[in-house]
Amino acid sequence: MLLKAWSSLFLLVGAATAESYDYIIVGGGTAGGALATRLSLGLPSAKILVLEAGPSALDEIRINVPGMRGSILYTNYDWNFTTIPQENLGGRTIDVNRAKVLGGSSAMNYLCYDRASSPEYDAWGEMGSDGWDWNLMFDAMTKSENFTGVDQDVRGRVGPIRNLYNRVVFDVLKSWQPTATALGLPLNEGGNMAGDPIGLMFQGTNIDSTHYTRSYSANSYLPLAGSNLVVKTNTQVAKVNFADQLCHGKRFATGVTLLDGTQINATKEVILSAGSIQSPGLLELSGIGQSAVLEAAGIETLIELPGVGENYQDHIRTSNNYRLKEGVESFDPYIYDSGSENATAEVQKWIDNEVSIYDYTSAAYGFLNWGQVDADTQANLVQLAQAAVANSSSPIDQKKLEYLSNPNVPDLEYIFEANYVGAKGYSGGNFVTLFSTTMHALSRGNVHINPQDPHGKPIIDPKYLDNEYDVQAVIAGAKFARKIANTEPMSTFWELETEPGPEVETEEQWREFATSTVNSFYHPVGTCSLLPEEDGGVVDANLKVFGTQNLRVVDNSIIPIILSGHIQTAAYGIAEVAAAKIISGN
């Protein structure tokens, strides 16, 4: 299928030659592509370079077809990272899927498009980063959005990223809101983008209605750029270069060195947009971070910055799976039997720009606080959280305690999915899945370069379930998912709970279920935090790395506290804010 041509964008494939640019952006992902486009348009006389380690894949059907979301996991478009064995998960390792392709994880994600609660963005400024708050991020996230559906929510309607309500909704999913009403849970239809996401709803998804394709940074932002932007794919950066002499007492970035030794100069700024796993690693490879980490890897310490690679946070989830009654349709046949005649015919419909089952994406969501689950559950979890951080002076831990007492901040998320996603593996038949996700787990880990192989895969240790609050939060979420599933009308559609399974009843069994099946929702943040340096921060309010004159980080690694929502809208918002700061500074 022919996608939009890049008429104004100079795209190079392969290793770069010695050149000079005003701005070098390392990483052509979600934030990097958005930032590059805005700088190109806002600074038309500037020469801008994006360096992306992966290929361009604009015509890749597995990326473009909404219903094929997830199919590039574990392929050449994935960095295929994993954590180290997790002590509290019985020694399991957890996959850390990050996209290695132009567009980054906006090309790989599940097209979930929402925003967190307003107090969570306000917290960034309250913790010491002046100017960062809900109003700033709301304006930026709205600027990135082009909503083509119909509702009464506050939306952007002229931005690059298309967004709509999906036209394919399975009948079983239509039980979502009536079931919520039966349980006395609030609905939030058409009003969840304004900083108050509490409730159950159907959400939009980032699809371009023109050909019903995924709308992501590579096919929606980058084609808008001017000829002053150069994008080089299949080009991996080894480190940032610095001048020998300090500039006003700070390090001055002069460009980058590629893995093949090629140097490219930057006259104004170098900007890291490599994501929460690789932006901190690039800082360490460049001599910025904890001296112990750098020395172990044989790297000279240029700036001692202890926060680099720390404060790793993620969303943790479990899955309740229910086998549907005979005759109830799901998306499973189009995932697990994708070579069938029916599936092939539906793909052809998509190619022909007709309504197709493969238009399907996640649609039914819910964001709740613990009080809406159960008052006793809320009291117990608050007590556990207070005990878990009793000896912590971190503003992050204290802010998370505040969230637990704020009814406007979600504590858990549910996604009602019309297919199987579980731990045991698909065994045939039609399923629904209820994902339960803890929004603000207290566990905080780290990611660092491997001293034995600094340019290889990093050492990732999220420290999942390292406190009792996280364990009990996961259990409470799964228990309430069962309660939802057992409530009419949802309960009328399914015949058997296969995971956790009806035999899981005791507290010991629930704990075993949690520790043996809990997984990531692939939302790492925090490893180059927007915080004061004394609190573990890596970047200041202008997103400049402490101790540097002209090196910034612009991606989700700067988020100091994980948000109660899916993080792609935040990445676009951060890029829009950064672009405005850089352009105004010129």
Side-chain angles (χ1 to χ4, degrees):
M1 179 176 175
L2 182 63
L3 298 181
K4 184 184 294 184
W6 289 18
S7 59
S8 61
L9 182 64
F10 184 28
L11 177 68
L12 297 181
V13 179
T17 57
E19 301 167 46
S20 181
Y21 296 83
D22 295 307
Y23 298 92
I24 295 177
I25 300 171
V26 181
T30 312
L35 174 64
T37 299
R38 291 306 189 194
L39 292 183
S40 171
L41 298 173
L43 300 172
S45 62
K47 292 178 62 180
I48 301 156
L49 173 66
V50 171
L51 298 172
E52 167 55 42
S56 174
L58 289 175
D59 292 321
E60 174 58 69
I61 192 169
R62 293 174 296 175
I63 293 174
N64 292 323
V65 178
M68 291 186 184
R69 73 251 159 92
S71 61
I72 66 168
L73 297 172
Y74 311 109
T75 69
N76 60 306
Y77 297 124
D78 188 350
W79 285 96
N80 291 302
F81 298 138
T82 58
T83 69
I84 64 172
Q86 293 296 286
E87 177 183 357
N88 301 297
L89 306 187
R92 286 191 295 136
T93 60
I94 301 296
D95 297 327
V96 183
N97 302 101
R98 312 311 298 161
K100 187 179 183 181
V101 65
L102 192 65
S105 291
S106 69
M108 176 184 276
N109 66 28
Y110 277 57
L111 298 92
C112 304
Y113 198 91
D114 54 31
R115 301 176 192 142
S117 66
S118 58
E120 296 173 81
Y121 303 97
D122 288 336
W124 301 3
E126 292 166 358
M127 291 190 296
S129 298
D130 290 344
W132 288 86
D133 58 16
W134 162 251
N135 290 330
L136 178 75
M137 283 295 290
F138 172 74
D139 289 345
M141 291 185 288
T142 302
K143 185 177 182 180
S144 73
E145 182 183 20
N146 186 341
F147 180 67
T148 57
V150 178
D151 68 14
Q152 301 303 311
D153 216 333
V154 285
R155 302 279 192 176
R157 299 180 188 271
V158 296
I161 301 299
R162 273 62 171 180
N163 178 24
L164 49 71
Y165 287 109
N166 204 307
R167 63 190 179 189
V168 173
V169 179
F170 287 89
D171 286 344
V172 65
L173 298 183
K174 296 174 184 177
S175 68
W176 184 234
Q177 290 162 311
T179 299
T181 299
L183 285 167
L185 299 174
L187 302 183
N188 191 348
E189 194 64 65
N192 61 82
M193 299 291 280
D196 182 16
I198 292 289
L200 278 71
M201 75 288 286
F202 284 86
Q203 285 187 354
T205 182
N206 47 292
I207 292 174
D208 187 336
S209 61
T210 307
H211 295 289
Y212 235 75
T213 55
R214 173 193 294 266
S215 179
Y216 69 113
S217 68
N219 71 359
S220 297
Y221 264 99
L222 285 175
L224 304 176
S227 59
N228 60 332
L229 173 62
V230 174
V231 176
K232 300 190 179 189
T233 56
N234 299 307
T235 306
Q236 189 169 345
V237 171
K239 67 171 185 174
V240 178
N241 304 327
F242 293 97
D244 292 334
Q245 302 298 318
L246 297 180
C247 178
H248 302 292
K250 297 181 178 181
R251 292 285 178 180
F252 188 88
T254 59
V256 298
T257 297
L258 306 184
L259 278 184
D260 66 3
T262 301
Q263 293 191 8
I264 306 177
N265 297 325
T267 61
K268 292 190 175 181
E269 293 192 21
V270 175
I271 303 164
L272 302 184
S273 294
S276 295
I277 305 301
Q278 286 150 296
S279 283
L282 281 166
L283 288 177
E284 291 176 338
L285 290 167
S286 308
I288 301 174
Q290 300 172 25
S291 57
V293 172
L294 305 184
E295 290 169 6
I299 298 171
E300 178 187 1
T301 301
L302 300 182
I303 301 173
E304 173 74 23
L305 195 54
V308 172
E310 298 295 325
N311 195 36
Y312 186 111
Q313 298 167 68
D314 193 10
H315 288 142
I316 51 176
R317 63 173 171 89
T318 56
S319 300
N320 286 41
N321 303 116
Y322 299 89
R323 191 172 67 213
L324 297 174
K325 293 177 179 178
E326 186 175 352
V328 180
E329 294 184 340
S330 77
F331 193 57
D332 292 290
Y334 304 95
I335 299 174
Y336 300 107
D337 192 15
S338 58
S340 70
E341 184 177 343
N342 283 345
T344 301
E346 291 297 331
V347 171
Q348 188 60 49
K349 287 180 182 178
W350 183 88
I351 292 171
D352 294 338
N353 205 20
E354 300 174 5
V355 176
S356 166
I357 287 292
Y358 280 102
D359 296 339
Y360 172 73
T361 56
S362 305
Y365 295 77
F367 293 91
L368 301 174
N369 58 57
W370 291 124
Q372 291 163 322
V373 171
D374 179 81
D376 290 339
T377 297
Q378 181 183 40
N380 179 56
L381 288 171
V382 169
Q383 187 176 31
L384 290 173
Q386 291 170 337
V389 301
N391 297 319
S392 172
S393 60
S394 167
I396 294 168
D397 292 334
Q398 300 309 311
K399 188 62 71 172
K400 285 183 177 180
L401 286 183
E402 288 183 28
Y403 291 168
L404 284 173
S405 62
N406 188 335
N408 298 315
V409 177
D411 298 318
L412 73 164
E413 176 197 30
Y414 288 102
I415 302 178
F416 188 32
E417 192 75 87
N419 54 265
Y420 174 86
V421 184
K424 293 181 179 179
Y426 178 66
S427 59
N430 290 348
F431 285 82
V432 289
T433 299
L434 266 171
F435 287 114
S436 170
T437 306
T438 302
M439 292 287 91
H440 303 109
L442 296 179
S443 56
R444 292 192 288 133
N446 54 65
V447 54
H448 295 292
I449 56 174
N450 185 341
Q452 306 303 318
D453 185 13
H455 291 287
K457 293 185 177 182
I459 297 174
I460 305 171
D461 183 11
K463 302 186 186 301
Y464 291 130
L465 302 188
D466 73 349
N467 63 88
E468 190 62 16
Y469 169 82
D470 288 3
V471 175
Q472 293 301 324
V474 167
I475 292 171
K479 284 182 176 179
F480 196 66
R482 174 182 282 179
K483 183 175 182 178
I484 294 172
N486 279 318
T487 302
E488 292 186 356
M490 188 183 297
S491 62
T492 65
F493 286 87
W494 59 270
E495 62 185 14
L496 178 67
E497 179 187 275
T498 59
E499 298 175 46
E503 70 280 0
V504 175
E505 291 283 358
T506 68
E507 290 305 308
E508 183 178 353
Q509 288 171 328
W510 278 111
R511 179 179 286 270
E512 171 62 21
F513 171 72
T515 58
S516 63
T517 70
V518 74
N519 214 319
S520 167
F521 235 138
Y522 317 119
H523 294 161
V525 303
T527 52
C528 296
S529 284
L530 174 67
L531 284 170
E533 185 176 357
E534 60 269 22
D535 291 325
V538 175
V539 298
D540 64 17
N542 289 314
L543 305 185
K544 290 186 177 180
V545 177
F546 289 114
T548 74
Q549 186 74 20
N550 63 334
L551 174 62
R552 300 189 205 233
V553 179
V554 180
D555 56 37
N556 279 340
S557 71
I558 68 109
I559 297 175
I561 303 182
I562 193 163
L563 298 165
S564 65
H566 299 258
I567 59 177
Q568 73 161 326
T569 57
Y572 290 126
I574 290 165
E576 292 281 2
V577 171
K581 287 178 177 288
I582 294 169
I583 292 168
S584 66
N586 280 266

